Amino acid sequence: IPAGQPISTTYVTPQTITPGGNTQIPLTYTPVNPVALNTVVSILSNDPIHPSVGVTLTGNGVINGPHMSIADTVHDWVERRKMAYSRWYLSILNDGNQTLTITDLTISDPHFFVDESVTLPINVATLATTKIGLWFHPEEGIPYSGILTISSNAPGQTDYQYDLLGTGVDKDYPTGDLLWSYSIYGG
């Protein structure tokens, strides 16, 4: 078993396997963090053709109960044209071993708002991700900040707070200036 891997066994070596016989090697996976496992355990023997056989082990560590995992703690739209609408998707991973239920989304500043397509409650299965559309709509050429509060059934995260930032830009655009563009791929 590679050093540092959360894998252990109660199997005692050496063992003798008679011709035509077999044995089972119990492996226990005990993750200490909610991270993926991808390692190779080597089985060594006196077999002259295959003295070492690798067994690939994969899995995912999870936290007990539902748990929200969000990559960062803030999103900044940076500068956006005054009166424009700009959407961004917040990804929330459930790295817990029970279904995460998001029951409420509130934002402290009305210049940031949740996409109208979002229907609550949102149930997120173990190791699944949901994406929540959030909008920024500056009405003046000033900085804005708000706090998104995500209410859920995750212990210790029942009212998770996420910072939202953006700045409105109030300037005159000459006729013909490109204000935005979007490339469509596919059908």
Side-chain angles (χ1 to χ4, degrees):
I1 300 172
Q5 294 297 324
I7 305 292
S8 61
T9 186
T10 56
Y11 193 77
V12 179
T13 58
Q15 292 282 337
T16 300
I17 304 172
T18 58
N22 63 58
T23 189
Q24 291 189 10
I25 301 172
L27 296 172
T28 303
Y29 175 41
T30 312
V32 293
N33 293 311
V35 295
L37 170 73
N38 188 356
T39 192
V40 177
V41 173
S42 297
I43 301 173
L44 308 175
S45 71
N46 64 349
D47 181 335
I49 298 172
H50 303 288
S52 177
V53 175
V55 177
T56 301
L57 302 176
T58 59
N60 287 288
V62 291
I63 293 173
N64 190 30
H67 187 265
M68 275 189 287
S69 181
I70 301 175
D72 46 25
T73 59
V74 63
H75 178 71
D76 190 347
W77 274 266
V78 194
E79 293 184 342
R80 294 292 186 254
R81 183 175 40 87
K82 173 183 165 184
M83 301 308 287
Y85 288 89
S86 297
R87 182 173 49 187
W88 170 77
Y89 288 95
L90 173 65
S91 293
I92 301 174
L93 165 70
N94 177 13
D95 58 358
N97 66 356
Q98 296 175 8
T99 299
L100 169 68
T101 302
I102 298 170
T103 56
D104 195 23
L105 300 164
T106 57
I107 301 177
S108 63
D109 184 322
H111 297 95
F112 303 96
F113 55 95
V114 177
D115 194 272
E116 64 185 21
S117 68
V118 174
T119 303
L120 296 172
I122 300 170
N123 290 311
V124 187
T126 297
L127 298 176
T129 299
T130 189
K131 293 187 177 202
I132 297 172
L134 299 173
W135 290 88
F136 173 47
H137 175 62
E139 294 179 344
E140 297 179 49
I142 60 172
Y144 292 88
S145 66
I147 296 173
L148 166 66
T149 302
I150 305 168
S151 300
S152 74
N153 65 336
Q157 297 178 308
T158 52
D159 288 318
Y160 185 91
Q161 295 193 338
Y162 190 88
D163 293 323
L164 304 173
L165 303 171
T167 300
V169 175
D170 183 10
K171 74 175 199 174
D172 291 329
Y173 295 92
T175 302
D177 267 12
L178 178 66
L179 298 181
W180 62 271
S181 68
Y182 183 78
S183 297
I184 298 174
Y185 301 97

